[in-house]
């Protein structure tokens, strides 16, 4: 009996040990899986690893909505991390949106999206999306600017039909990372940038000429701007923008684009339709040159019945916005078509937006400068500032009178067709009106004949 009791207790104990071991193994298995996922340390913990860092250098300023890059770091997973001081803290729930980085000294900037990892008060930690740290022993990061999303409650919106999507802030720092054997460190120096002080985004529509049942055009997209540094001649420019194709209410995915412009680049557009003109322009122009090339006025043809105008010239508002700038970058051309079949009109084209200038190479006072640019992301109006193929038809006064008569006759004909008996009645009325003068003359003659006659014997 005792042996049986002992055996049962031993089995219970063994079962308990098995269950306990299984639980421990499962617990550590879950913990191992969790450790393999992307776990990021806190922003303040990272910053405090620098002995020179002090939170007192970064006070809370509730009405300061700027972004300031404190430091960047490379993770063991070859990610690039960005540590940012945002003085307003959590007020307004502002977050960084993107950043301009070049990995070479010739300043070939790319715009990268940012993802927020965590924050603590005025300190924010971001990861640079789609960026992989290279395997070079020496790595350079030239950062010209960082962006946050536009907020209408604190930011001033652009005018002239333009809108701002992201606001930029200067970084102007070059970071150098060195990793050789057991030697790993980072140093930072400042480099010069140039800021955009005024800006106007838009496009000009050049007609492809007349085509049966359809019309086409070339949309020439541009950005006009001025800077905080003087420029004698502009040599090169890099532009970032996004585009989206559309056909009526159907839209494609948004594509990121880059345009690399030189002052020697030229563009020629000749429409394939009847009566199309030839248009030429430089990729990089002064505002004066742009205005002289696009001095499109309405062509008005006056006839006896119709007035026809072709083309819409530059509005006074658009002209004022252009003249407040100095340079124009004509960075892209897209096609536009409009077709009409069986009364159904189809319009297809390309929407261009989020335009920002990344780099400018220019000459001033005999010296050549190649600088990164601090510039917002901005989108122009959906309508062209100039359309040299838009046709407008209107009636002259004589044409309006003739149209009124024709409409009256048409209305009478339709009415008589709908009610034939009314035709007989109206015909009798018309005949009565027409014959009325003759009847009146007849009555007058009869009255004269039947009037009183004078007696011939009267004295």
């Amino acid at each position: 009996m005792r042996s049986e009791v002992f055996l049962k207790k031993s089995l219970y104990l063994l079962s308990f040990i098995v269950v306990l071991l299984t639980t421990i193994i499962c617990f550590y298995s879950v913990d191992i899986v969790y450790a393999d996922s992307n776990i990021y340390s806190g922003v303040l913990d990272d910053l405090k690893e620098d002995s020179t860092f002090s939170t007192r250098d970064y006070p809370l300023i509730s009405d300061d909505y700027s972004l300031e890059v404190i430091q960047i770091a490379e993770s063991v997973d070859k990610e690039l991390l960005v540590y940012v001081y945002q003085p307003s803290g959590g007020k307004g729930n502002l977050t960084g949106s993107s950043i301009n980085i070049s990995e070479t000294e010739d300043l070939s900037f790319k715009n990268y999206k940012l993802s927020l990892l965590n924050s603590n008060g005025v300190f924010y930690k971001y990861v640079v999306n789609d960026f992989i740290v290279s395997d070079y022993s020496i790595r350079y990061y030239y950062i010209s600017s960082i962006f946050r999303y536009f907020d209408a409650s604190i930011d001033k919106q652009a005018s002239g039909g333009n809108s701002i999507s992201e606001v930029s802030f200067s970084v102007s720092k070059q970071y150098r990372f060195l990793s050789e054997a057991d030697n790993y460190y980072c140093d930072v120096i400042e480099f010069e940038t140039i800021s955009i002080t005024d800006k106007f985004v838009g496009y000009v529509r050049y007609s492809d000429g007349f085509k049966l049942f359809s019309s086409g055009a070339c949309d020439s997209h541009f950005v006009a701007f001025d800077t905080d540094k003087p420029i004698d001649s502009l040599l090169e420019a890099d532009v970032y923008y996004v585009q989206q194709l559309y056909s009526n209410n159907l839209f494609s995915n948004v594509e990121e684009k880059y345009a690399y412009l030189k002052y020697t680049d030229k563009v020629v557009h000749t429409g394939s339709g009847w009566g199309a003109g030839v248009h030429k322009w430089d990729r990089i122009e002064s505002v004066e040159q742009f205005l002289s090339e696009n001095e499109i006025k309405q062509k008005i043809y006056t006839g006896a019945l119709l007035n026809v105008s072709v083309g819409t010239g530059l509005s006074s508002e658009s002209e004022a916005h252009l003249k407040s700038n100095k340079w124009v970058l004509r960075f892209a051309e897209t096609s536009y078509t409009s077709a009409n079949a069986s009364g159904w009109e189809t319009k297809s084209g390309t929407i261009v937006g989020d335009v920002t200038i990344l780099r400018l190479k220019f000459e001033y006072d005999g010296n050549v400068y190649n600088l990164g640019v601090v510039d917002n992301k901005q989108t122009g109006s959906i309508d062209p500032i100039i359309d040299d193929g838009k046709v407008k038809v209107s009636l002259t006064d004589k044409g309006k009178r003739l149209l009124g008569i024709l409409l009256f006759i048409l209305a009478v004909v339709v009415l008589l067709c709908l009610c034939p008996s009314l035709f007989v009645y109206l015909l009798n009325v018309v005949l009565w009106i027409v014959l009325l003068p003759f009847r009146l003359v007849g009555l007058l003659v009869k009255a004269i004949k039947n009037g009183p006659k004078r007696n011939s014997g009267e004295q």
Side-chain angles (χ1 to χ4, degrees):
M1 179 67 71
R2 289 181 179 178
S3 60
E4 292 179 358
V5 172
F6 177 79
L7 180 61
K8 288 182 180 180
K9 290 182 178 180
S10 298
L11 289 174
Y12 288 146
L13 179 61
L14 181 62
S15 299
F16 174 77
I17 293 173
V18 170
V19 171
L20 180 62
L21 289 174
T22 302
T23 304
I24 292 173
I25 291 172
C26 291
F27 175 80
Y28 278 103
S29 296
V30 171
D31 189 52
I32 290 172
V33 172
Y34 181 73
D36 285 343
S37 61
N38 288 330
I39 304 300
Y40 295 97
S41 55
V43 56
L44 207 51
D45 295 331
D46 293 352
L47 291 172
K48 285 182 178 179
E49 290 184 6
D50 181 359
S51 59
T52 64
F53 172 80
S54 174
T55 57
R56 288 176 295 182
D57 296 331
Y58 303 94
L60 175 66
I61 308 173
S62 60
D63 59 349
D64 186 344
Y65 305 104
S66 63
L67 273 65
E68 178 186 333
V69 173
I70 304 172
Q71 182 59 279
I72 67 172
E74 299 172 334
S75 75
V76 294
D77 297 322
K78 292 186 174 297
E79 294 176 315
L80 189 64
L81 307 175
V82 183
Y83 298 87
V84 181
Y85 166 50
Q86 298 180 203
S88 61
K91 183 179 179 182
N93 196 29
L94 302 176
T95 56
S97 53
S98 62
I99 191 168
N100 287 343
I101 302 175
S102 171
E103 296 182 78
T104 58
E105 62 180 355
D106 63 350
L107 303 183
S108 179
F109 289 99
K110 297 291 184 182
N111 180 256
Y112 295 93
K113 300 294 186 293
L114 294 173
S115 290
L116 177 64
L117 299 178
N118 55 69
S119 64
N120 188 328
V122 297
F123 304 104
Y124 286 70
K125 180 179 179 179
Y126 297 91
V127 62
V128 181
N129 297 344
D130 303 317
F131 189 98
I132 300 176
V133 173
S134 74
D135 293 324
Y136 294 122
S137 58
I138 301 178
R139 299 169 298 282
Y140 292 93
Y141 303 100
Y142 296 83
I143 304 180
S144 57
S145 60
I146 186 171
F147 298 76
R148 65 162 171 78
Y149 294 108
F150 177 86
D151 189 323
S153 64
I154 57 178
D155 299 317
K156 182 181 179 181
Q157 189 56 274
S159 57
N162 280 214
S163 60
I164 298 172
S165 55
E166 295 182 33
V167 182
S168 65
F169 300 91
S170 175
V171 179
S172 305
K173 292 179 181 178
Q174 173 219 292
Y175 295 87
R176 184 181 65 157
F177 284 79
L178 175 64
S179 54
E180 291 180 337
D182 295 331
N183 189 13
Y184 181 89
Y185 71 90
C186 169
D187 57 26
V188 56
I189 61 173
E190 294 188 356
F191 69 94
E192 188 178 7
T193 55
I194 185 171
S195 296
I196 302 301
T197 57
D198 200 356
K199 184 177 177 180
F200 180 62
V201 178
Y203 69 98
V204 179
R205 178 164 290 169
Y206 299 118
S207 172
D208 281 341
F210 176 77
K211 296 179 182 180
L212 192 62
F213 304 122
S214 67
S215 62
C218 169
D219 290 344
S220 173
H221 302 271
F222 70 86
V223 51
F225 67 96
D226 197 4
T227 64
D228 64 344
K229 290 181 171 63
I231 298 176
D232 288 335
S233 58
L234 187 55
L235 306 177
E236 296 179 6
D238 297 345
V239 179
Y240 166 92
Y241 64 98
V242 298
Q243 69 175 29
Q244 186 176 30
L245 306 180
Y246 70 89
S247 181
N248 283 3
N249 293 323
L250 299 177
F251 297 86
S252 69
N253 294 328
V254 175
E255 298 178 84
E256 292 184 294
K257 293 285 187 177
Y258 292 88
Y260 304 99
L261 316 178
K262 295 183 178 181
Y263 77 98
T264 54
D265 296 339
K266 299 181 182 297
V267 182
V268 179
H269 172 72
T270 304
S272 57
W274 180 80
V278 177
H279 299 279
K280 303 177 182 180
W281 60 88
D282 296 331
R283 286 291 186 199
I284 298 177
E285 301 179 332
S286 66
V287 167
E288 291 76 12
Q289 181 182 349
F290 178 85
L291 290 173
S292 64
E293 289 174 347
N294 294 282
E295 194 176 1
I296 298 175
K297 294 183 172 61
Q298 284 187 334
K299 302 173 185 177
I300 301 178
Y301 306 95
T302 302
L305 302 177
L306 296 176
N307 289 328
V308 181
S309 63
V310 180
T312 57
L314 188 66
S315 69
S316 57
E317 181 184 10
S318 295
E319 184 176 8
H321 283 291
L322 283 166
K323 288 185 175 180
S324 68
N325 293 285
K326 292 184 178 179
W327 298 97
V328 176
L329 303 178
R330 307 189 73 170
F331 59 88
E333 293 77 44
T334 60
S335 61
Y336 170 83
T337 58
S338 176
N340 197 323
S342 303
W344 180 261
E345 186 178 26
T346 301
K347 294 182 179 180
S348 301
T350 304
I351 299 172
V352 170
D354 285 356
V355 181
T356 184
I357 303 171
L358 302 174
R359 180 185 68 93
L360 292 175
K361 185 176 182 180
F362 59 93
E363 184 178 358
Y364 173 67
D365 198 22
N367 297 314
V368 175
Y369 301 86
N370 186 40
L371 303 181
V373 180
V374 181
D375 180 28
N376 297 332
K377 289 186 180 180
Q378 193 163 314
T379 302
S381 170
I382 60 172
D383 299 317
I385 65 166
I386 297 173
D387 187 347
D388 78 338
K390 189 173 183 180
V391 179
K392 182 179 179 181
V393 181
S394 60
L395 290 169
T396 62
D397 291 340
K398 185 177 180 180
K400 292 177 181 179
R401 289 194 296 269
L402 179 60
L403 180 62
I405 294 172
L406 292 176
L407 290 175
F408 174 76
I409 294 173
L410 179 62
V412 171
V413 172
V414 171
L415 183 61
L416 294 180
C417 291
L418 294 175
C419 186
S421 60
L422 183 61
F423 175 74
V424 177
Y425 175 77
L426 290 177
L427 182 59
N428 289 332
V429 171
V430 171
L431 289 175
W432 186 85
I433 294 174
V434 171
L435 296 175
L436 181 59
F438 299 98
R439 290 177 181 175
L440 292 175
V441 172
L443 291 174
L444 181 59
V445 172
K446 186 177 180 180
I448 294 173
K449 288 182 178 180
N450 296 332
K453 298 181 179 179
R454 181 178 296 178
N455 192 329
S456 59
E458 291 181 356
Q459 297 294 324

